[in-house]
């Protein structure tokens, strides 16, 4: 299974400012000055070898959107994606390019209906094409209403009813396991304002858990065990690590999000192999997220009892092959 991150920022999309860009250029020029980088090839090699991640990359970017690709899916014209945040625009372009006019089915799994998770849908171009079948899965009663509402006047000029794709809404029941185009999926209710749902996916003998916009009260009886069971033996857990632990349990308690520290604890309990920090706080710049990643890796080392838990911070454009 392959996982592609199209949108990794929490709550609202962010982009680099001109100041961020200028500061990077300055840092890069100072680093490069002693070296004779007079060709693009030399410069590229230098960047790859000597620039830290937060100088050569950006965590981005778009709000929540993560694609899962099983061995059989894309060639069969089947796509799987979690959430339709602003990253869905780029995901849609990817699907159109890959299909080149051939019909396809896109299975969409919605964690919940907050705006940062649906805002990309009006810009998801397959929705405007008759050769596409979109199946929008979710557990909320208002699933269809939310998608229609954001395209109603005065919010958007193109009403949902005029979309050319064949679109169906599929209500799922938490705790039930479904088989959808060769992928097994189990939703789970999570603590968040208005409820959110995590998904456990299984295909190609790999297990991926998508769990965002989810607050954890680990002091409550049964809570850690419930999540450890849902995450058990996962090859990858995509985890809402929006806040620091201090914020998550004090000023931002009950804001509906979790932390990197809780992510490590639950993944270790579950015997998960990889943890992707996700739904990054919009106020954190690339250096702050890189720092959080380093601290999370140190924490994992200090608390490790069994096998190593590999930790990454998700960024727009990251692909993980499982
Ligand atoms: Zn969110
Ligand atoms: Zn939310």
């Amino acid at each position: 299974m392959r996982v592609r991150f199209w949108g990794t920022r929490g709550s609202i999309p962010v982009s680099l400012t001109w100041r961020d860009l200028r500061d990077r250029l300055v840092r890069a020029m100072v680093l490069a000055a002693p070296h004779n980088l007079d060709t693009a090839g030399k410069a590229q090699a230098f960047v790859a070898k000597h620039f830290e991640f937060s100088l050569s990359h950006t965590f981005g970017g778009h709000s929540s959107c993560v694609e899962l690709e099983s061995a059989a899916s894309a060639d069969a014209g089947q796509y799987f994606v979690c959430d339709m945040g602003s990253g869905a625009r780029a995901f849609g372009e990817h699907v159109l390019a890959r299909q080149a006019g051939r019909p396809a089915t896109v299975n969409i799994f919605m964690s919940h209906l907050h705006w940062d998770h649906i805002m990309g849908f009006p810009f998801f171009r397959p929705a405007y094409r008759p050769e596409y079948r979109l199946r929008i899965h979710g557990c909320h009663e208002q699933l269809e209403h939310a998608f229609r509402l954001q395209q109603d006047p005065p919010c958007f000029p193109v009403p949902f009813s005029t979309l050319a794709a064949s679109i169906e809404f599929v209500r799922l029941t938490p705790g039930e396991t479904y088989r959808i185009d060769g992928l097994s999926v189990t939703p789970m209710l999570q603590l968040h304002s208005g409820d959110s749902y995590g998904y456990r996916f299984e295909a190609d003998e790999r297990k991926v858990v998508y769990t965002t916009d989810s607050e954890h009260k680990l002091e409550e009886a049964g809570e850690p065990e419930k999540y450890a069971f849902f995450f058990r033996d996962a090859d990858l857990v995509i985890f809402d690590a929006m806040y620091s632990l201090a914020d998550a349990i004090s000023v931002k308690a009950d804001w509906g999000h979790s932390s990197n520290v809780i992510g490590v604890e639950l993944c270790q309990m579950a015997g998960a192999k990889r943890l992707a920090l996700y739904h990054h706080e919009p106020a954190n710049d690339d250096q702050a997220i890189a720092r959080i990643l380093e601290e999370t890796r140190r924490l994992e080392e200090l608390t490790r009892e069994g096998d190593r838990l590999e930790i990454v911070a998700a960024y727009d454009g990251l692909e993980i092959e499982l």
Side-chain angles (χ1 to χ4, degrees), residues 112 114 116-117 192 213 257:
H112 64 313
H114 282 163
D116 56 315
H117 296 256
H192 193 66
D213 297 63
H257 295 283

Side-chain angles (χ1 to χ4, degrees), residues 36-310:
N36 178 31
L37 305 176
D38 56 357
T39 66
K42 283 188 204 169
Q44 259 167 18
F46 185 82
V47 167
K49 191 161 176 210
H50 297 287
F51 283 15
E52 59 187 16
F53 185 94
S54 64
L55 184 53
S56 60
H57 289 62
T58 181
F59 286 100
H62 284 301
S63 68
S64 301
C65 186
V66 178
E67 178 192 2
L68 308 180
E69 186 181 298
S70 69
S73 60
D75 289 341
Q78 291 162 342
Y79 294 84
F80 305 101
V81 64
C82 296
D83 283 335
M84 284 274 115
S86 68
R89 193 198 63 78
F91 167 61
E93 300 307 304
H94 161 80
V95 172
L96 290 179
R98 194 154 183 178
Q99 289 307 115
R102 293 188 302 270
T105 300
V106 184
N107 286 294
I108 299 165
F109 297 92
M110 296 301 304
S111 66
H112 64 313
L113 306 169
H114 282 163
W115 194 34
D116 56 315
H117 296 256
I118 61 172
M119 58 167 51
F121 187 79
F123 303 92
F124 181 62
R125 283 208 299 139
Y128 296 79
R129 303 275 288 257
E131 72 272 28
Y132 283 88
R133 179 173 176 230
L134 310 184
R135 304 182 79 217
I136 305 177
H137 303 80
C139 302
H140 289 80
E141 200 185 316
Q142 292 192 312
L143 181 66
E144 180 166 355
H145 175 67
F147 276 84
R148 290 183 176 275
L149 183 68
Q150 78 165 342
Q151 291 192 223
D152 277 351
C155 295
F156 198 73
V158 186
F160 190 93
S161 57
T162 63
L163 297 175
S166 131
I167 303 176
E168 69 188 284
F169 289 88
V170 185
R171 285 280 302 285
L172 304 179
T173 305
E176 302 256 316
T177 297
Y178 300 84
R179 189 109 194 132
I180 297 169
D181 288 347
L183 187 85
S184 139
V185 54
T186 312
M188 174 177 167
L189 175 65
Q190 306 177 134
L191 179 62
H192 193 66
S193 168
D195 294 341
S196 72
Y197 296 87
Y199 292 95
R200 179 182 171 92
F201 298 98
E202 300 192 21
D204 307 339
E205 296 176 9
R206 295 287 182 274
K207 306 169 194 82
V208 175
V209 174
Y210 179 79
T211 170
T212 193
D213 297 63
S214 175
E215 183 164 357
H216 297 277
K217 307 271 188 195
L218 294 190
E219 68 284 3
E220 286 180 9
E223 166 85 5
E225 293 75 15
K226 185 175 78 177
Y227 281 92
F229 181 72
F230 193 62
F231 296 3
R232 70 194 179 282
D233 302 325
D235 295 280
L236 174 66
V237 175
I238 301 163
F239 189 85
D240 172 359
M242 190 158 168
Y243 301 146
S244 68
L245 179 64
D247 278 350
I249 59 173
S250 59
V251 279
K252 294 178 182 172
D254 303 322
W255 285 25
H257 295 283
S258 191
S259 79
N260 56 334
V261 176
I262 293 171
V264 169
E265 188 173 337
L266 291 175
C267 284
Q268 285 174 332
M269 278 181 75
K273 294 187 182 63
R274 286 180 202 80
L275 163 65
L277 308 177
Y278 181 68
H279 204 273
H280 304 301
E281 160 66 50
N284 285 344
D285 62 16
D286 288 324
Q287 282 170 299
I289 297 172
R291 209 164 40 240
I292 291 167
L293 174 60
E294 280 318 302
E295 288 167 8
T296 315
R297 286 177 172 159
R298 267 206 303 281
L299 171 75
E300 186 277 331
E301 249 177 73
L302 291 170
T303 54
R304 187 185 307 158
E305 284 177 354
D307 289 339
R308 172 171 170 254
L309 168 67
E310 192 185 315

